Amino acid sequence: MFENRQLTPRLEELRTQIRAYAVDFGLDFFEVIYELVDYDEMNMIASYGGFPTRYPHWRFGMQFEELQKSYSYGLSKIYELVINNDPCYAYLMRSNPEVDQKLVMSHVYGHSDFFKNNYWFSKTNRKMVDEMANHAVRVRRHIDKYGLDEVEQFIDVCLSLENLVDPHAPYFGEHKTSSEESREEQRLAATGTKFRTKPYMEEFVNPPQVLAAEKEVRLKELDREERFPAKPQRDVLTFLINHAPLRHWQRDVLEIIRDEAYYFAPQGMTKIMNEGWASFWHSKIMTTKALDSTEIIDYADHHSGTMGTRPGVLNPYKVGIELFRDIEERWNTGRFGPEYDACDDYSKRQSWDLKLGLGREKIFEVRKIYNDITFIDEYLTPEFCNQSQLFTYKFDRHAGNYVIDSREFKSIKEKLLDSLSNMGRPVINVDDGNFKNRGDLHMTHQYQGVPLKLDYARATLENIHKIWSRGVHLETEVDGKRKLLSYNGSRHEEKVLG
Amino acid sequence: MVRRVDPDSRRFRDIVRGKIRENLKHYISRGELIARQGKNSVSVPLPQIDIPNFRFGKPEQGGVGQGPGEEGQPIGGEEAEAGPEAGDQPGEHVLEVDVSLEELAEILGEELELPNIEPKGTDSVHTMKERYTGIDSQGPESLRHFKRTFKAALKRQIQTGVYDPKNPIIIPMRDDRRYRSWKTQSIPQSNAVIIYMMDVSGSMGNEQKEIVRIESFWLDTWLKSQYENIETRYIIHDAAAKVVDAHTFFNVRESGGTKISSAYKLAKEVIEKEFPPSEWNIYPFHFSDGDNWGGDDTTLCMDILNEQLMPWSNVFCYGQVKSAYGSGQFIKDLREAFPDDDRMILSEINSRDEILNSLKTFLGKGR
């Protein structure tokens, strides 16, 4: 079992070379530790989300079976597996030919650079490998104490709520609680914001009616804060951890699930960019430096396999790499800014070249501060949509299949941003922890045109009830009507809201 | 060697098999079994447990895709997962793969844990087959083995010292000639015939036929992997029965009453005429919604079964497809008439999801 996972001397040599190329290109990465594994070890590690030390749970077994099956029937195999950690861990398949190993190594340096520098990864735990092992120890301890069935069932309940987190929460400071001062004091202290000024200007800089209006708003806010939670809270998991009547070990498990959800969240938020960036660099490193002329066909084959598109499916690798190349090209030639935008002469636009050479610098900046949503919002251009043959599709009820809806830039961009927002999941807020003044939990689905899958929603409500232990309610829209779905522990109710 | 993942895999399999965690049963999907789109493309069954969460209802959702096509044109395939690496996104869990029918049967056998069938008649039925098995020094010129002949000549020349490496000319003599030789072998032969019978009376709707179609395809695939020569006959019946081709079998929609005995009679005749039971493995499959016309006819059916069909067949399989109109009585009658007879396999198929189980019932005995 504990076969040697160290790189062979030859692979070690290649690693040193490719690492040097990556450094030359300006990539700034966490050191990468490569391990050489067989396909079933690879599948195993992948089924644990990259962490072989994770807590025991049947779903990892399920993922493993799926990977094993698709590998043995020749459907798919895992090329790369890289863990966001300092140092980065990456796995190479022992049976891969040398050219594949080079490709994967180059690709992985791209990922590692992205993990280290992209803002949205900045709050993730860089010692996650250790942390996951700690989680496993904690879960195993609970299992020893309370039994596998009990703990596993609770984990299943938690997983059902796993996506009820606020991916942006880590980037804002801690919420200040107002409990330090008494509410009455705050009430007395509430005034409008006064700007410093000379006495004779006072009336103009701080007009009394504005101050009065502002005071009014403050007081209202204070009243609202007496509600619980004070503001609708999107991080439902944290709310439950803080306020649900859980036993100590249950709270611990829920915290583990939340921590892991937050650790994985940035990977969902930057799928296109992350894969695009890594692909951009493997392509650059391989074609300009690392590739041997005998390997060119194999490389091209595998590269195009990764970039392949199927109708109706957006390949993040493909869109990502093309967008980065497009940005580099645009900033090299100066095809941006008001002057270029204002130019409506087609031929002039086509041959536009200010020879700025800012492309490389620009893409490094882009990889630092954007996530998929802001990336698409900022850099998706009509020309790009056209060249990449993007389209939107919809479900045709009559034909019973998906049909191409539109090739218009505006709707493509809208739809794409839609599908990326909240990683394609519905946004659900907790807005009252004392609903009907009897300790029920009230949540609202921020309806944006797409209804929830109702049977799943009901089952999820049941799971939330298991945690909250009092009635749970979800306000959402069904068939154009606002509805309140409720579950009180024994039966489901549905009420149309006025 | 115990792998880290083994306990988790075992736990998952136990859940799928319903041994533990009843509460998850509801969320197990068996995966699609068949999608015979294109020529031999199928879906591999892949049980999955889907933990419920708040998610969007799918069909309306739509999205962004990439590729050629006009507005309004259907796009190829469903939404599926992209990228070769293991992602965190759940995808559609049907794996489409190109496989040959043999591989398919193998997969099926593996998934359903089917035993190999023990063919009957292997001792009594033999065919003679000629096979080239060796080399001889005599034979017809048409079977002369050039390479071996020249090898023999070379050997002889080296032995006798005639061979000159600088001028390697080899001339075979009469004695050097080698010929391919054959032996006649007697090979035990196993033949099988599947006789599909389907009730096409008014109560069998499209969905019921579709179930029969899917089920027959898999039965066919499995039995074909077990027997070299396999014949199929298709019989449809309402109040009267007739032998038809496969296309008609699956597409026809008759209407009217149901006399199951008519089909059994016809099957009997077919067997008598074409497939002597001493030499053939016979697999009659009958699919119906369980509605028969009157008790008299049912009695007649039981007689035919008892006296001819059952003794002749390896196993007689009856699958009852649930339909809105059928009474479902026939399976009860069969159960009553043949209690504990292991030549008779009964299966009720209420929906597509149950096809897998039904196949396992039919084929699991290995007869």
Side-chain angles (χ1 to χ4, degrees):
Chain A
M1 163 106 208
F2 298 102
E3 221 179 322
N4 190 2
R5 288 184 173 179
Q6 266 188 357
L7 295 188
T8 60
R10 171 67 185 151
L11 284 175
E12 186 53 42
E13 193 183 312
L14 290 174
R15 187 192 70 86
T16 319
Q17 274 174 21
I18 288 169
R19 190 183 177 284
Y21 298 142
V23 171
D24 285 349
F25 275 119
L27 292 182
D28 164 30
F29 42 81
F30 292 131
E31 204 48 70
V32 182
I33 296 175
Y34 290 94
E35 297 196 349
L36 207 52
V37 295
D38 293 328
Y39 80 91
D40 55 346
E41 282 175 278
M42 182 71 123
N43 287 345
M44 186 174 91
I45 297 164
S47 57
Y48 284 99
F51 296 91
T53 55
R54 248 173 138 180
Y55 61 84
H57 190 262
W58 55 261
R59 77 177 191 284
F60 304 129
M62 172 173 90
Q63 275 148 18
F64 179 68
E65 302 251 301
E66 180 179 356
L67 290 172
Q68 286 289 79
K69 264 189 200 171
S70 34
Y71 181 85
S72 53
Y73 294 143
L75 294 171
S76 72
K77 85 178 182 189
I78 299 170
Y79 264 97
E80 41 132 342
L81 188 59
V82 50
I83 312 302
N84 165 29
N85 195 72
D86 183 10
C88 251
Y89 284 89
Y91 298 91
L92 299 175
M93 187 98 93
R94 200 183 294 277
S95 59
N96 274 353
E98 201 171 293
V99 56
D100 285 5
Q101 310 287 31
K102 286 193 201 172
L103 187 146
V104 173
M105 285 189 210
S106 321
H107 191 86
V108 163
Y109 281 118
H111 276 309
S112 183
D113 169 84
F114 197 86
F115 290 149
K116 184 172 176 185
N117 294 290
N118 183 269
Y119 174 72
W120 301 93
F121 279 91
S122 61
K123 309 282 180 189
T124 56
N125 186 345
R126 308 299 195 169
K127 294 290 171 204
M128 201 57 185
V129 172
D130 303 340
E131 186 64 32
M132 286 283 188
N134 285 340
H135 289 175
V137 170
R138 276 151 71 188
V139 171
R140 278 176 206 283
R141 198 179 298 145
H142 299 319
I143 289 175
D144 288 345
K145 211 162 166 188
Y146 303 100
L148 177 59
D149 276 352
E150 173 117 8
V151 174
E152 189 186 69
Q153 258 174 57
F154 188 73
I155 292 178
D156 290 351
V157 168
C158 297
L159 288 174
S160 173
L161 318 177
E162 187 185 31
N163 59 356
L164 299 178
V165 294
D166 180 357
H168 294 103
Y171 309 97
F172 300 106
E174 297 285 307
H175 282 291
K176 287 232 172 68
T177 48
S178 52
S179 56
E180 290 129 33
E181 299 172 65
S182 84
R183 226 164 262 283
E184 207 43 45
E185 277 169 34
Q186 286 183 30
R187 204 168 263 285
L188 290 173
T191 84
T193 318
K194 275 196 173 184
F195 296 98
R196 268 214 337 217
T197 175
K198 305 245 162 66
Y200 65 92
M201 287 292 282
E202 177 74 23
E203 210 180 318
F204 303 99
V205 176
N206 296 315
Q209 55 279 36
V210 172
L211 288 183
E214 229 175 291
K215 181 172 176 176
E216 196 76 0
V217 171
R218 285 281 154 85
L219 286 175
K220 249 191 201 149
E221 256 171 35
L222 276 175
D223 282 344
R224 210 191 125 69
E225 269 183 44
E226 275 166 35
R227 290 187 61 180
F228 160 64
K231 282 186 204 138
Q233 190 172 334
R234 198 164 137 193
D235 189 347
V236 180
L237 275 191
T238 302
F239 182 82
L240 292 174
I241 288 170
N242 290 339
H243 303 293
L246 291 170
R247 292 166 65 192
H248 176 73
W249 69 268
Q250 292 177 322
R251 186 152 303 163
D252 191 44
V253 168
L254 193 53
E255 274 171 13
I256 287 172
I257 302 285
R258 178 193 55 181
D259 289 354
E260 296 189 3
Y262 274 115
Y263 168 78
F264 285 115
Q267 308 195 8
M269 291 161 76
T270 58
K271 184 89 188 152
I272 296 176
M273 284 186 77
N274 203 342
E275 293 303 353
W277 183 251
S279 301
F280 182 92
W281 286 108
H282 85 227
S283 162
K284 205 43 126 211
I285 292 173
M286 289 299 276
T287 52
T288 59
K289 305 270 186 186
L291 209 52
D292 191 87
S293 57
T294 57
E295 298 167 332
I296 198 107
I297 301 287
D298 285 333
Y299 165 76
D301 185 34
H302 293 160
H303 177 74
S304 59
T306 314
M307 296 303 141
T309 58
R310 283 188 292 147
V313 183
L314 208 61
N315 181 347
Y317 292 73
K318 172 83 174 164
V319 178
I321 190 174
E322 296 284 322
L323 263 175
F324 272 116
R325 283 180 178 159
D326 187 52
I327 296 168
E328 189 181 34
E329 168 78 13
R330 282 170 61 202
W331 262 259
N332 273 340
T333 55
R335 296 185 191 188
F336 60 92
E339 261 176 70
Y340 178 72
D341 287 343
C343 169
D344 49 12
D345 179 343
Y346 180 75
S347 62
K348 218 169 162 189
R349 276 174 87 101
Q350 281 298 305
S351 57
W352 192 286
D353 190 356
L354 304 180
K355 304 223 170 9
L356 297 180
L358 295 171
R360 195 53 61 82
E361 194 185 322
K362 180 68 186 174
I363 57 173
F364 272 92
E365 173 195 314
V366 169
R367 77 94 160 75
K368 200 173 177 69
I369 52 180
Y370 287 85
N371 63 28
D372 279 353
I373 292 185
T374 52
F375 182 58
I376 295 289
D377 191 34
E378 184 82 37
Y379 297 109
L380 192 75
T381 62
E383 287 87 356
F384 182 83
C385 282
N386 199 356
Q387 267 165 23
S388 320
Q389 297 188 305
L390 297 186
F391 59 78
T392 65
Y393 62 85
K394 63 175 179 194
F395 190 72
D396 185 342
R397 287 195 162 280
H398 297 293
N401 56 10
Y402 290 94
V403 297
I404 296 178
D405 187 21
S406 161
R407 286 191 179 275
E408 214 185 316
F409 172 66
K410 196 162 156 271
S411 51
I412 292 172
K413 189 169 162 182
E414 250 170 37
K415 198 93 197 183
L416 195 51
L417 289 176
D418 257 8
S419 67
L420 291 171
S421 64
N422 203 33
M423 298 180 252
R425 299 159 180 166
V427 177
I428 309 249
N429 291 324
V430 171
D431 41 20
D432 197 348
N434 187 23
F435 186 57
K436 295 186 175 169
N437 199 21
R438 62 177 191 204
D440 280 10
L441 185 70
H442 184 278
M443 291 167 292
T444 306
H445 166 215
Q446 308 272 301
Y447 185 77
Q448 279 154 342
V450 187
L452 295 179
K453 193 165 155 54
L454 279 181
D455 48 343
Y456 276 65
R458 289 200 189 94
T460 312
L461 279 180
E462 285 174 27
N463 282 334
I464 298 179
H465 182 270
K466 280 183 194 142
I467 289 179
W468 189 248
S469 80
R470 295 196 61 84
V472 288
H473 309 265
L474 176 71
E475 193 180 323
T476 181
E477 200 165 316
V478 184
D479 303 328
K481 287 189 200 105
R482 292 303 288 178
K483 276 195 179 165
L484 189 68
L485 310 178
S486 307
Y487 180 71
N488 62 8
S490 54
R491 115 194 123 78
H492 286 279
E493 271 176 41
E494 207 179 296
K495 204 170 76 185
V496 179
L497 299 172
Chain B
M1 187 177 90
V2 179
R3 290 175 303 190
R4 159 77 180 82
V5 75
D6 286 340
D8 288 338
S9 291
R10 209 174 315 123
R11 186 106 186 130
F12 168 64
R13 271 184 243 142
D14 284 349
I15 294 173
V16 169
R17 292 192 186 135
K19 282 192 191 152
I20 45 170
R21 301 293 310 278
E22 284 285 316
N23 59 333
L24 285 176
K25 231 176 170 176
H26 184 59
Y27 302 107
I28 299 176
S29 63
R30 294 273 157 195
E32 297 279 307
L33 186 58
I34 180 180
R36 202 186 181 182
Q37 299 152 341
K39 235 189 154 193
N40 290 327
S41 146
V42 307
S43 316
V44 179
L46 191 65
Q48 291 279 323
I49 300 172
D50 203 3
I51 297 180
N53 52 17
F54 289 129
R55 69 179 69 171
F56 293 123
K58 206 153 191 193
E60 290 86 355
Q61 205 175 349
V64 177
Q66 188 168 16
E70 295 291 310
E71 286 174 19
Q73 268 181 5
I75 53 174
E78 304 278 276
E79 203 179 332
E81 51 206 317
E85 98 309 12
D88 44 357
Q89 311 144 309
E92 297 285 307
H93 290 293
V94 183
L95 309 171
E96 293 242 326
V97 55
D98 281 325
V99 290
S100 67
L101 282 178
E102 292 85 72
E103 282 175 302
L104 194 57
E106 207 175 286
I107 294 170
L108 180 72
E110 223 168 79
E111 294 303 328
L112 294 177
E113 295 161 0
L114 295 179
N116 286 346
I117 286 173
E118 294 168 27
K120 75 171 177 187
T122 42
D123 299 329
S124 53
V125 192
H126 291 260
T127 37
M128 301 312 243
K129 209 173 174 187
E130 278 146 16
R131 271 204 176 146
Y132 292 112
T133 51
I135 297 290
D136 207 339
S137 52
Q138 290 134 46
E141 290 304 304
S142 60
L143 287 179
R144 196 168 63 210
H145 197 307
F146 282 87
K147 208 169 168 183
R148 297 290 281 262
T149 303
F150 275 87
K151 254 189 190 164
L154 177 62
K155 262 188 209 160
R156 179 183 45 78
Q157 287 192 1
I158 292 171
Q159 264 170 356
T160 53
V162 183
Y163 180 67
D164 173 13
K166 291 200 182 96
N167 186 23
I169 294 176
I170 297 166
I171 303 162
M173 291 168 34
R174 174 78 239 179
D175 285 350
D176 299 330
R177 294 194 184 167
R178 296 289 181 272
Y179 303 89
R180 296 203 283 167
S181 72
W182 68 93
K183 264 192 190 144
T184 311
Q185 288 178 321
S186 117
I187 296 167
Q189 191 191 5
S190 49
N191 296 324
V193 57
I194 317 178
I195 299 173
Y196 294 107
M197 291 171 272
M198 179 167 48
D199 180 355
V200 289
S201 60
S203 51
M204 290 282 285
N206 280 336
E207 178 60 22
Q208 280 77 26
K209 288 217 193 76
E210 185 65 15
I211 290 175
V212 175
R213 189 184 80 82
I214 295 172
E215 179 128 7
S216 327
F217 168 74
W218 285 100
L219 290 169
D220 220 35
T221 307
W222 175 247
L223 290 171
K224 268 191 186 132
S225 76
Q226 298 287 321
Y227 293 106
E228 244 176 273
N229 282 320
I230 198 150
E231 296 274 336
T232 42
R233 290 291 179 275
Y234 299 94
I235 294 174
I236 54 173
H237 73 91
D238 44 16
K242 57 187 165 201
V243 177
V244 295
D245 59 21
H247 180 78
T248 323
F249 184 77
F250 292 119
N251 291 297
V252 76
R253 180 181 175 128
E254 311 264 298
S255 60
T258 315
K259 255 188 182 166
I260 295 178
S261 68
S262 64
Y264 290 180
K265 252 187 236 159
L266 187 60
K268 189 184 89 179
E269 282 162 27
V270 170
I271 295 172
E272 276 171 348
K273 218 162 54 190
E274 296 182 64
F275 309 105
S278 57
E279 291 170 25
W280 288 81
N281 295 281
I282 298 169
Y283 294 93
F285 284 92
H286 180 215
F287 298 99
S288 145
D289 56 4
D291 231 3
N292 201 12
W293 192 46
D296 291 351
D297 192 69
T298 303
T299 320
L300 189 56
C301 289
M302 300 305 159
D303 289 344
I304 302 176
L305 281 174
N306 215 353
E307 277 156 36
Q308 281 102 13
L309 287 185
M310 300 267 293
W312 290 348
S313 310
N314 286 41
V315 60
F316 182 91
C317 299
Y318 174 72
Q320 186 157 300
V321 189
K322 190 177 182 169
S323 108
Y325 312 105
S327 65
Q329 179 59 35
F330 197 66
I331 198 165
K332 292 177 201 153
D333 296 334
L334 283 173
R335 224 172 255 146
E336 233 167 71
F338 302 94
D340 309 319
D341 190 333
D342 63 358
R343 291 170 305 171
M344 163 81 74
I345 300 177
L346 304 172
S347 167
E348 278 183 90
I349 315 152
N350 293 326
S351 67
R352 283 181 194 220
D353 296 342
E354 290 174 29
I355 291 176
L356 253 181
N357 281 332
S358 165
L359 283 171
K360 194 163 167 61
T361 318
F362 282 152
L363 302 172
K365 289 204 174 146
R367 287 176 61 97

